[in-house]
Structures are given as structure tokens and as C-alpha cells.
Amino acid sequence: MIAAESFAYKAALREARLIRVAVWVTLIAGFGVTALIYAPVIWLGVLSISVDPLAGLPGAFTMRWYGSLFTSTGWIQPLFISLEVAVIVSVLCMVSAMLVGRALPRLKHGRGLLLGAFLLPLVVPGIVVGIDIFIYYKMFLTFKMGLWSLVLVHFIWAFPFALIGMLVISSRFDVRLLEAAADLGAAPWRRFWDIERPLLMTGVVTAGMFGFMLSLTELPRSIFVAGRTQTLPLFTWAETMSRGSHISLIYCLNTLIAVISVALSVLSVWLLGRRVKS
Amino acid sequence: MNVRTDVMLRDPLGQADVSLRPAGLHRWIVARKEWLISERGPVHIFAIVWAVAVLVPVIISVFFSLLRAHGLRIQWNISLHAYRDIIESGRWEVVVRTLTAAAAITAICLIVGFPFALWLAKRAKSEKLIQFVWMALTVPFFLDPSARTLVWRGVLGSTGLVNTALMKLDLIDAPMGWLLFSDFSVYLGLIGPYFPNMVMPIYLAILLIDNDLIQASADLGATPAKTLRSIIIPLAMPGIMAGIIFTFVPVMGDSIVPSILGGGKKEYLADTVMSLSTSMNYAGAAAFATIILLLTGILLGLFLLFRRRAVGPGAVA
Amino acid sequence: MSEVVEIAAALDAVDILHQYSGVTALDHVSLRVQEGEFLTILGPSGSGKTTLLRIIGGFETPVAAQRLSIAGIDVRGLPANHREVATVFQHYALFPHMSVGQNVEYGLKVRGVMPAGRRKRAEEGLRLVRLSDKYDRRIHQLSGGERQRVAFARALVTEPRILLLDEPMGALDEKLRREMQVEVRALQRHLKATFIQVTHSQEEALTMSDRIAVMHRGRIEQLGTPADIFDRPATRFVAAFMGMTNLIDGTVSGIDGKITQLDAAGQLLLGTWTGPRPPALGQPAFAAIHPQRIAIDPSARTGNGWNCFGGQALSAAYRGAHTDIQVSSQIGPLTAAVAGMGISGAVAVSVGWRAEDCAMGPAGELDS
């Protein structure tokens, strides 16, 4: 009896130890891979203040390169185009995510089909979207590529994310509140403005932020449809591929963009999470 | 109260029934007007625009890959020229190499990602830590892919961080050339950014598994390994499948990492599409895009088939 | 009812027909509710009671309606926001992003009442439901009972011609429910307002209403006072729904003034005919008796107007206030509710009940 008990006890101990080891291996591997995302971004920041960014180990540090952003101004034009595209995409995302997101949970027919069609770009590689949009609009319809085509592909990329952000909020919206408002005498527009708009606002803001950030940093699709227009990621890309001498400038610029992106995405995910919890 | 909810979903404000309203053309116009200002109208209109502007181009491009084109001029005769070209020029090797890489990266992400997601969903205790990890996995979607990839050159290059450091420490005499512009660097560059794509769906699927179910399995005497095999993995399967698709497909189509870290020595699918389009061989590019799309379709089909089997026929609407 | 036609009723609905994808939800329903009346629409789920309320509220348009007027105004084709009714919803549907005060004021705000005026009226409304100190609270800070009171205040401040109550007690616990039943009834009497309530609880219907409409399969089976409905069911369904678990089928074998005789497989029963039309000899019919009206061993009370049968007590189930005793009698199984602990074990008993406690009506479905 005692022997059996101690055997079971030992087995349990062994099991617990095994699980503890497994958890540690999991965490080291998981956080290790996550580090593969962030280490380059942090290193980007380190290189941006290195005197010699091409030397293996960073030695002396300087803010000189950030200063050179003011003298070497090739990035300003692309930045403004990027911002212009991002703002348009952001607004498009807000409006369309609002219109589609509020109605989708209430649709009776074809809800799954529509959702599938809207989320399709998530599983179509960017390069396919880029080349397909180019072939259709440029080769078949012979449209001139430019700002509008950038807006289009960025919107295709961003809309699924914006819609998901919106659906997180709108699928929790209680349609009976609209009946209650109607019952109290509110006309359709009034119901939308007083009840739906404030309750769905977080979703709309999130959709807009997603749209803005995804557009600001989009590259694989832009490569095909930019025409003569150059966005900031395209500028970085061109400098990278031509192995130009502006590498420090690129590091500085992208460090700034990364800081803004991280701040904005943390903010929007936090906003969404806070709203869902309350 | 089934009747009630059904009614509300169908027609929340009682606008669908038009029998108390005028008949004929006027009735049709009234119905259209209501459709437009109701919530359905905008969705239907958006869906049509979406189909015409986004889905049609994809179909057209598949068709386009069956045409021949010189530069921007299309020749309107159907041929499999572009596809024959892929085989004759030996570019099918690129397809094999890309699929191998995508499969390997997906496997690595799954092996690391599944236990990580399991830990995050069921074992991590601190709410703050979970939030932090969730945030850390979300942010990568919003980073410029070329900027974060470019830095690897400074890390892995012959005068980069790793080689310099190792040489300073006298561990190696000459820089290791295989670190950059190799399969290794491409794999390294791809694993990080697509890791969240694997973890997130699995995490959400495991989160939905009732803790009582896991507890019950343990109470019935199952070892943790058996619980994992017979409860958690089967129930998390839709999430695992989604994770595989969300990782495999974009890795297969990634054009940025191979371009920057592959250095043109080892060509991947997306490199080929880019170089074909740069040389204005658009039919060839379309053919490759079609192949990528086809592979994606097969994966999605397998996923749906699998899900239908797992959930049982009839359960999937 | 014909003597009060001149006064415009609070609600006048004639021949309402409604269908969902071929299934008839309301089968030619007519209903008239007087000013100041508390009417309860009672029925099981799927009986069409909620549909009727939603049609009155304007959330649903009936397939056909000969008349549907509220306080004399034809409201057919009029959307919910133009009808002078207000609803207390089952789950209250309070606006979560507004304070208690803003919720109560909302109906006045959309009517264009100035802030000062609506604040005053909202405070009055909150005082009426004894929530004066909760004006600035957020909705999620309130308990279930408080939320319900806010829902009442919000609906009442718009001074609707009819207040519609959709299972208003459904989400409350037992004790609170009983308190609110009394309170709502008192409020209605105080305001002299017209209330139409939908519920599936017979207890709620009996304690609160002036009249009850029992619905079944899209029709009103019986419309009457609580006493009518409870003691004089017109149909077998109403009898069963109102707790007359003792149901005996047979044919009418004798009619003698107020007393009707039923032949149930050779056993004769005396009862009071409560069906919509007078009975006919040989007509298939049912007899229904409340368990609490059945006496065990009524030796002293047998005589004229009493039904008495021998039987065997099978089991007893303690229910707190009373005990249910299952009896296998000469005319079939019966349940009798007796005070106290009752009896235990299988013993031979006799059971009996008075003819006026035994309701009788036509067998089968209600015909049109």
C-alpha cells in the first residue's frame, strides 16, 4: 500500500517536473521567435544613431543622421504622398467598415458568403493582388496608375482588418436598443445618430487607425500599381534595392515610422480591448 | 421565444412587409427606397462594388495568363504558352523551392506557436502579461516590411553584427558567408513576421475550449498528454488549420524578404513574379500569380473540407 | 361590450392576420382595450402573444388588419416612432451609454422638450418609481430591479396612451417579482393609465390584471376577468393552462338548468358548463377541476351537487404550502392538493368535488 502510494506520488512529481520543463521550453521558443520580430526594429533604432551604421558593432553614437533629414529632403515628397493615401484609405475604411460592420451581423441571407468575400484579401498574397490589379486596370482597361490605384490596393489590404475591428464592436450591439429608441419616438436618422453612432464609435476609430497604419507601411502591392507615384515604403525599397548611399537616412526615417506605428497600434488595440471588456 | 428573435433579425423595424402599401411600380419604388436607407442597402451596394473592383480583376488575371502579350499589347488568342514557358525555362524549380520554404517555415511556426498559444490561453496567469503578448503579436502587422527586413543585412552580413562579434571573440577566423543572401537568411527573415499569423487563430480556438472539459478529462484520470491529444488538439483543429493557412499562404507570396535577404541568388516565387513583371512579361507573371492563387485555393478547400468533416455534415450552413 | 362603443377605446384591433414565411402567427385576432384598463395577454411561447404586442407597438406590420387604432387614431402603416405607445422591454433595452436621467429624458428629447422641462419631468418619473437619487447613475451601476424601474420611468414620462409591457418581470428573481407585481398594479391604478402586458405566467396575469386574454396558436381562446379565466375556462386548453390538471373527457349526457352531466366511460359527472356556446346532448366535452378543489374523503359533504368517487391514494408530493396527492380513482388518475402533510402510503380513499367547481366545455379545438 505504502509502496503503491509512493510510486503514484513519484509519478505525479515526475509529471509536474516534465510540465514545468515543457512550459519553459515553450516560453523560450515563443518569446525567442517574437524577439525575431522586434530585435531588427530595435537594431534599426541603434543603427540610426550609429556614426558608422555599416560597421558590424556600433561604436560611437550620433544624432547627425537625424539632422541630415533636414538637408537631404528626398523623403518629404514620398512622405506626403504616403500620408495623403493613408488618410484617404483611413476615411474609406471608417465609412465602409461602419456601413458594412453595423449591418452584417443583422443580415438574414448570405452573411457567411459576404464575410468570406470581404475577408478574402487576408489569404491572398500581396503580390497576387498587386499584379492582378495592375493587369486588370492597366492592361485591360488601360487606366493610368497613380494615387487612386495605390488607394485601391491599400484599401483592399486594410479593409478586412478594419471590418474585423468594427465587427468586434458591432456584433455586440443590441439591436433592441433601436426598437426602444423608435418606441420612444425617435425617427430613423435620430436612432442612428443617438444610439448606434456613439455605441459603434470605438469600432469606427479602430477601423480608421487600422486603415491609416496598414496603408502607411504597405509595400508588396504598391510596387506594382504605383506608376510614377512614390510612397515612403517605395522610397525605402528603392534605396534598399539600389544600395544607395542614403542608408543612414533610411534607418532614421524608418525608426521614426516604427515608433509611430507601434504607438498607434498599441493605442488602437488597447482602445478596442477596453471597450470589449466594459 | 424563438419566434421573437427570428422576427427581429428578419425585420427589426417592420419595414419588409409591404402588403399594406400601394401596389405596382409605386410599391417597387417605395421598397427600393426603404432598401437603400435600411442597413441592407449599403451592404449590398458595397458588395457589388467590391466584387467588380476586387474580385473581377483576380478572375480576369487568371484568364490573362492564358493570353500572350508583348509589353502592354495583348494578343487575343488563347494559349498555354505562359505555363509551357514555366516548365521549359526550368522555373518550376522556383515553385518547388518556395513551397519547401513555406512548408518548413509553417512547420517551425506551428511547432513553436501551438505550445505558445496553449500557454497563453490556458496557463498564463497575469492579465497584464497576456495583454502584453497579444499586443506584441498585433504590432508587426503595422510595421514597414522592407525597413524591418533591411536591418538583417546589418546583422548577418560579412561585416555585420554576428560575424564581427564572433571574429572579435576569436571564435571564427573568416566571416561566415552563408549567413546572408542564403536560404538561412530568408527563413530567419520570414519566421518572425509570420509567427503571429500562426499563434493568433490557435490562441482564439484554444481560448474557446471550456476549462471544465479539460478539468473533467483530468478528473477521469487522463494524463496531461492524453488530454492534449484527445481534447485540446481536436477542439483547436479549426484554429490550427487557420493558422497554417494564414502562415503558409503569405509566406509563399512574400516578395520583400526574399528580395532583400535572398540577394537574387536563390529565386522564390515572388521574386520571379517581380522580375517577370519588370521585364514586362505580364502573361508569365499572371501565370505565376495564378499558380499561387491555385495553391491557396487548394489549401482553403482542404480547410473547408476538413472543417465540414470535423463539425459533421449539415452543421455547416 | 357593445354598450361602451361610443367611447374611443385605448386599443381597437379588429381581425389582425399575421404570418411569418407561411406560418400563421396571428389568426384573425380582435381585441378591444378600454382606457385605464390593465389587460394581460397570457399564453405559452409561440402562441402569438409577443407578435400581437409588437404589432401594437409598431415593430411589425401585420399582413392584414381590418382596424388597428390607438385612442381613436388609425395606426396602420404608422411606424413605431409615430405611435403614442411606449414599451417596457423584457430586457429593458436601456441605453448603456447614457445615464439614468438621460435614458428617462430621451423620449422627451426627441419630442423637442427643452432641457429644463425634461429634467423636471424625468425627476418626476424617477420619483414615481422611487429612484429619485439615481438620476446621475450609469446603467451598469444599477441592479436588475432598478433597471426595470428606470425602464418604467422612461416609458411613462412620454405619457403614452398605452403602456406595453413585454414580460417585464421575466428577468427578476422570485421575491422581487412578487413585489413588483403589486407595485406595478398600484402604479397603474394611481396613474389611471392603460397597460397591456404580455406574460406566460398565470400567477402574474391573475394578480395584476383587470382582464386576461389567453392566447393559443395565434388565437385568443378566452377573454375575461381573472376569476372567469381561472374558474370558468371556455376551452380545454385554457383549463389546462390555468392549472386544472384534472381533465376528464366524455360526452354530454344531461342538461338540467345550470348543471350539466357528463358521461365519462360509464361514470357520470356533474359540472357547470363554461364553454362559449350552450351544450348539446351527446356533444363530446371535457370536465376540468383544480387540484385544490378536490377533497379527500368528503364523507360529510356528499349529496346534491357533489361528485364522489372511490379510489386509491398512490403517492404524495410535498409542495410546502400544500401536498399533491396522486389518486387512482374510478374515473381515472386525479391530483388533489390538500393542506398540510396529507397522507402517506397506498390507502383506499374517496375523492369528491362540487359541481360548481367542475368546469365543462366542448372537446377539441376552438372553432371559428
Side-chain angles (χ1 to χ4, degrees):
Chain A
M1 193 64 201
I2 293 164
E5 257 178 15
S6 81
F7 177 75
Y9 180 67
K10 271 183 188 159
L13 263 186
R14 204 165 49 235
E15 197 182 278
R17 200 179 314 129
L18 206 67
I19 288 177
R20 212 158 43 233
V21 171
V23 167
W24 276 111
V25 172
T26 297
L27 290 185
I28 290 166
F31 282 107
V33 173
T34 311
L36 288 180
I37 307 167
Y38 289 96
V41 180
I42 293 163
W43 199 243
L44 186 73
V46 173
L47 291 183
S48 75
I49 52 169
S50 290
V51 172
D52 179 9
L54 294 176
L57 291 170
F61 295 111
T62 175
M63 291 306 282
R64 190 170 76 223
W65 307 121
Y66 282 94
S68 72
L69 282 177
F70 294 100
T71 54
S72 171
T73 54
W75 56 277
I76 292 178
Q77 176 76 6
L79 173 69
F80 274 97
I81 289 179
S82 268
L83 287 176
E84 195 180 340
V85 173
V87 167
I88 296 172
V89 170
S90 170
V91 171
L92 284 177
C93 277
M94 283 196 266
V95 174
S96 54
M98 175 81 181
L99 288 178
V100 176
R102 69 186 270 263
L104 213 50
R106 301 176 213 167
L107 280 188
K108 195 174 51 151
H109 296 297
R111 193 167 33 182
L113 187 75
L114 283 177
L115 189 64
F118 293 147
L119 297 187
L120 201 62
L122 287 177
V123 290
V124 178
I127 193 158
V128 175
V129 173
I131 192 80
D132 285 0
I133 292 292
F134 174 81
I135 285 171
Y136 179 62
Y137 289 99
K138 175 74 179 173
M139 312 256 327
F140 274 82
L141 303 180
T142 62
F143 288 177
K144 213 167 146 242
M145 295 282 114
L147 202 70
W148 71 270
S149 52
L150 283 170
V151 168
L152 177 65
V153 293
H154 288 191
F155 179 73
I156 294 172
W157 167 230
F159 178 66
F161 291 90
L163 183 62
I164 289 172
M166 185 68 204
L167 283 174
V168 167
I169 301 295
S170 69
S171 59
R172 288 171 161 76
F173 179 79
D174 185 354
V175 211
R176 290 174 296 198
L177 294 179
L178 293 178
E179 286 196 349
D183 187 61
L184 292 167
W189 172 249
R190 192 87 205 229
R191 299 200 280 269
F192 172 78
W193 191 256
D194 287 348
I195 312 299
E196 271 192 283
R197 188 193 52 89
L199 287 173
L200 299 180
M201 208 52 202
T202 313
V204 176
V205 170
T206 311
M209 279 184 167
F210 281 0
F212 183 82
M213 286 181 298
L214 289 168
S215 165
L216 198 64
T217 56
E218 208 292 325
L219 176 61
R221 295 158 191 79
S222 306
I223 290 172
F224 292 94
V225 302
R228 293 176 183 283
T229 320
Q230 199 174 35
T231 62
L232 202 55
L234 281 170
F235 175 73
T236 306
W237 171 254
E239 290 293 323
T240 307
M241 294 320 275
S242 66
R243 309 199 180 193
S245 52
H246 295 320
I247 198 72
S248 308
L249 193 80
I250 297 298
Y251 287 156
C252 292
L253 211 51
N254 283 293
T255 303
L256 293 176
I257 298 283
V259 168
I260 294 168
S261 299
V262 170
L264 271 179
S265 45
V266 165
L267 183 68
S268 55
V269 173
W270 175 76
L271 254 173
L272 210 58
R274 200 183 57 153
R275 189 52 187 267
V276 167
K277 238 179 274 161
S278 74
Chain B
M1 287 287 99
N2 285 335
V3 176
R4 215 197 123 140
T5 41
D6 170 64
V7 171
M8 276 184 327
L9 283 176
R10 200 174 64 123
D11 188 18
L13 298 172
Q15 292 165 335
D17 190 335
V18 288
S19 61
L20 283 173
R21 307 215 173 86
L25 181 66
H26 182 217
R27 174 172 149 174
W28 188 84
I29 292 169
V30 167
R32 284 310 97 188
K33 206 180 128 205
E34 272 175 3
W35 169 79
L36 197 64
I37 63 163
S38 79
E39 53 225 9
R40 295 185 308 272
V43 178
H44 291 165
I45 292 168
F46 184 82
I48 292 165
V49 172
W50 182 259
V52 170
V54 179
L55 304 181
V56 168
V58 176
I59 296 161
I60 291 288
S61 298
V62 172
F63 168 66
F64 183 81
S65 72
L66 299 171
L67 298 176
R68 297 185 69 170
H70 286 286
L72 291 172
R73 280 221 349 266
I74 304 166
Q75 287 176 1
W76 296 96
N77 47 354
I78 291 182
S79 78
L80 286 171
H81 178 85
Y83 293 92
R84 206 165 53 232
D85 210 35
I86 292 171
I87 296 166
E88 280 171 1
S89 66
R91 280 194 154 128
W92 58 271
E93 262 184 68
V94 175
V95 179
V96 175
R97 182 182 303 124
T98 308
L99 289 183
T100 313
I105 287 159
T106 306
I108 295 168
C109 283
L110 180 62
I111 290 165
V112 178
F114 178 81
F116 193 59
L118 180 61
W119 168 80
L120 194 62
K122 293 294 175 200
R123 201 166 175 102
K125 293 285 186 301
S126 156
E127 193 66 30
K128 284 232 165 63
L129 183 64
I130 295 171
Q131 268 176 8
F132 174 77
V133 174
W134 182 251
M135 210 75 103
L137 294 176
T138 314
V139 170
F141 287 102
F142 306 109
L143 293 172
D144 184 336
S146 72
R148 69 167 172 219
T149 309
L150 173 62
V151 187
W152 283 115
R153 282 188 180 172
V155 177
L156 301 172
S158 53
T159 59
L161 175 68
V162 174
N163 277 321
T164 317
L166 290 178
M167 278 161 73
K168 280 250 169 75
L169 291 169
D170 249 350
L171 288 171
I172 50 171
D173 294 323
M176 299 182 290
W178 55 270
L179 280 182
L180 187 61
F181 302 137
S182 60
D183 281 334
F184 171 79
S185 56
V186 173
Y187 280 35
L188 200 64
L190 284 170
I191 288 174
Y194 293 111
F195 184 59
N197 295 29
M198 180 66 84
V199 176
M200 280 179 165
I202 301 180
Y203 167 75
L204 291 175
I206 295 178
L207 205 61
L208 290 178
I209 301 175
D210 200 337
N211 277 333
D212 292 349
L213 216 55
I214 297 167
Q215 187 64 48
S217 167
D219 287 347
L220 292 171
T223 60
K226 183 125 180 63
T227 303
L228 185 69
R229 220 173 30 243
S230 58
I231 307 280
I232 297 175
I233 290 182
L235 286 175
M237 214 49 187
I240 295 172
M241 291 297 292
I244 289 172
I245 289 172
F246 279 124
T247 314
F248 189 90
V249 171
V251 168
M252 180 173 69
D254 192 290
S255 53
I256 307 304
V257 174
S259 301
I260 296 179
L261 297 179
K265 286 179 191 158
K266 292 276 175 70
E267 214 170 84
Y268 287 79
L269 259 177
D271 285 324
T272 310
V273 176
M274 298 256 264
S275 65
L276 284 173
S277 101
T278 313
S279 62
M280 295 182 84
N281 181 355
Y282 295 118
F288 270 101
T290 303
I291 290 174
I292 295 176
L293 211 58
L294 207 66
L295 291 167
T296 308
I298 290 170
L299 262 178
L300 276 178
L302 281 175
F303 170 69
L304 289 178
L305 202 75
F306 185 86
R307 224 179 73 141
R308 199 167 294 235
R309 266 233 327 262
V311 181
V316 178
Chain C
M1 300 291 292
S2 53
E3 62 267 52
V4 286
V5 157
E6 313 84 60
I7 311 159
L11 173 78
D12 191 9
V14 178
D15 204 13
I16 310 268
L17 178 71
H18 197 52
Q19 288 163 331
Y20 302 124
S21 46
V23 179
T24 302
L26 289 180
D27 189 1
H28 302 282
V29 167
S30 297
L31 183 65
R32 213 181 146 84
V33 180
Q34 297 304 322
E35 290 278 357
E37 190 177 16
F38 195 129
L39 181 116
T40 298
I41 303 169
L42 176 67
S45 51
S47 60
K49 60 185 194 299
T50 303
T51 307
L52 182 55
L53 196 78
R54 291 176 60 78
I55 284 174
I56 299 168
F59 305 118
E60 222 143 313
T61 312
V63 170
Q66 220 184 77
R67 190 184 310 152
L68 182 63
S69 60
I70 291 164
I73 300 161
D74 186 0
V75 296
R76 286 178 301 171
L78 211 59
N81 48 312
H82 291 300
R83 295 189 184 190
E84 286 191 78
V85 298
T87 310
V88 176
F89 292 90
Q90 189 175 9
H91 298 285
Y92 317 138
L94 298 176
F95 307 127
H97 57 301
M98 299 182 189
S99 69
V100 167
Q102 285 169 326
N103 262 282
V104 178
E105 282 181 23
Y106 188 73
L108 303 171
K109 192 175 156 195
V110 299
R111 282 170 174 76
V113 179
M114 288 293 119
R118 58 181 198 244
R119 165 123 204 175
K120 196 167 147 277
R121 280 167 69 182
E123 278 171 347
E124 257 166 47
L126 285 171
R127 191 160 47 243
L128 212 56
V129 296
R130 299 192 284 112
L131 279 180
S132 307
D133 52 333
K134 298 288 192 326
Y135 187 91
D136 290 315
R137 288 290 172 88
R138 308 302 301 183
I139 297 304
H140 62 86
Q141 293 173 313
L142 301 181
S143 70
E146 287 170 337
R147 282 175 205 207
Q148 200 211 30
R149 288 160 194 271
V150 175
F152 264 101
R154 184 178 72 173
L156 285 171
V157 291
T158 62
E159 292 171 0
R161 304 305 294 257
I162 306 175
L163 188 76
L164 303 174
L165 308 141
D166 182 10
E167 307 249 5
M169 316 289 172
L172 300 179
D173 61 49
E174 188 66 32
K175 183 171 170 289
L176 205 52
R177 194 178 311 172
R178 285 174 193 278
E179 285 170 18
M180 283 307 288
Q181 284 170 11
V182 176
E183 207 168 311
V184 169
R185 179 59 165 153
L187 189 68
Q188 185 261 340
R189 287 227 167 98
H190 170 72
L191 296 170
K192 298 184 178 64
T194 313
F195 280 29
I196 299 179
Q197 173 182 244
V198 153
T199 185
H200 62 264
S201 153
Q202 50 138 313
E203 181 217 340
E204 232 158 76
L206 291 172
T207 49
M208 298 170 80
S209 328
D210 291 319
R211 281 193 306 157
I212 298 171
V214 182
M215 285 198 72
H216 179 49
R217 295 187 183 173
R219 291 175 177 188
I220 294 180
E221 292 246 334
Q222 192 175 0
L223 181 65
T225 63
D228 278 342
I229 302 287
F230 190 73
D231 287 324
R232 293 179 287 281
T235 68
R236 200 176 194 281
F237 169 79
V238 175
F241 195 73
M242 297 313 291
M244 292 180 152
T245 43
N246 301 303
L247 281 160
I248 300 150
D249 293 306
T251 50
V252 176
S253 57
I255 304 164
D256 175 19
K258 292 174 90 178
I259 303 292
T260 305
Q261 190 185 52
L262 191 77
D263 181 341
Q267 300 287 339
L268 295 180
L269 267 170
L270 297 178
T272 313
W273 189 260
T274 55
R277 265 175 289 278
L281 277 175
Q283 178 184 3
F286 72 91
I289 315 101
H290 281 294
Q292 50 273 46
R293 303 276 159 84
I294 294 183
I296 302 273
D297 288 329
S299 46
R301 287 168 288 189
T302 46
N304 239 359
W306 270 81
N307 299 291
C308 204
F309 300 97
Q312 178 103 15
L314 297 177
S315 62
Y318 182 61
R319 303 266 187 230
H322 66 269
T323 302
D324 279 344
I325 296 173
Q326 301 297 327
V327 180
S328 164
S329 77
Q330 286 166 302
I331 56 155
L334 294 171
T335 305
V338 300
M341 295 296 290
I343 41 177
S344 59
V347 286
V349 292
S350 67
V351 287
W353 58 89
R354 298 190 307 172
E356 53 259 49
D357 288 336
C358 181
M360 285 181 181
E365 286 290 309
L366 184 78
D367 46 49
S368 44

